[in-house]
Amino acid sequence: SKLGETVWLRFILTQHVRDEEFLKSLISTLNCGRYIPKSGYGEFIVEKFKDIDEKILPIFETFKLHGVKSKEYEEFKKAAAIIRNKDHLTREGLDNIKKIKGQMNKNRKH
């Protein structure tokens, strides 16, 4: 915030509405996150960095993703490392996170 900007990670798992109970069960199983119902689907969302760093990332280190999602995870993990090391408080670190964000999800050139 000294740079006039704030950055945070957000992990979102989206599933069809029929999987609502599964998404809700993640809250109690992982002891973090929240469930947001949407029209036809729902989202399990984790925004607290400590929960992402200590609960979400270790899951994907144990149970590896494949395909495009594995590339997304690697980028997400890079951003987490920048925040963990407090480098996001520097202009260079913040710019690195912006670059990572620009390459993720729909913006990825496969």
Side-chain angles (χ1 to χ4, degrees):
S1 62
K2 286 182 181 180
L3 299 172
E5 298 179 68
T6 303
V7 65
W8 71 92
L9 291 180
R10 180 184 304 151
F11 173 81
I12 303 173
L13 177 62
T14 302
Q15 293 289 301
H16 189 276
V17 68
R18 69 177 168 260
D19 295 317
E20 176 179 353
E21 291 308 313
F22 165 69
L23 292 178
K24 286 181 176 179
S25 75
L26 293 175
I27 297 167
S28 56
T29 301
L30 298 174
N31 196 30
C32 67
R34 58 194 168 100
Y35 175 77
I36 304 292
K38 303 283 185 166
S39 179
Y41 66 98
E43 295 178 336
F44 168 70
I45 301 174
V46 180
E47 293 179 308
K48 185 176 176 185
F49 181 74
K50 184 175 179 174
D51 289 336
I52 290 171
D53 198 39
E54 296 177 3
K55 298 174 183 177
I56 302 301
L57 293 179
I59 290 170
F60 293 109
E61 288 301 304
T62 302
F63 302 100
K64 301 290 185 188
L65 294 167
H66 300 280
V68 174
K69 290 296 179 188
S70 69
K71 294 175 184 174
E72 299 295 335
Y73 171 69
E74 290 302 320
E75 297 296 325
F76 189 80
K77 192 166 67 168
K78 286 179 193 175
I82 292 169
I83 294 171
R84 183 183 314 109
N85 296 330
K86 307 275 188 231
D87 292 336
H88 67 293
L89 301 175
T90 68
R91 173 53 56 195
E92 182 181 357
L94 189 59
D95 288 345
N96 283 336
I97 288 178
K98 287 179 181 181
K99 182 178 176 185
I100 290 168
K101 181 180 184 244
Q103 295 171 344
M104 290 186 74
N105 296 318
K106 295 178 180 90
N107 297 324
R108 176 169 299 285
K109 293 178 177 85
H110 306 280

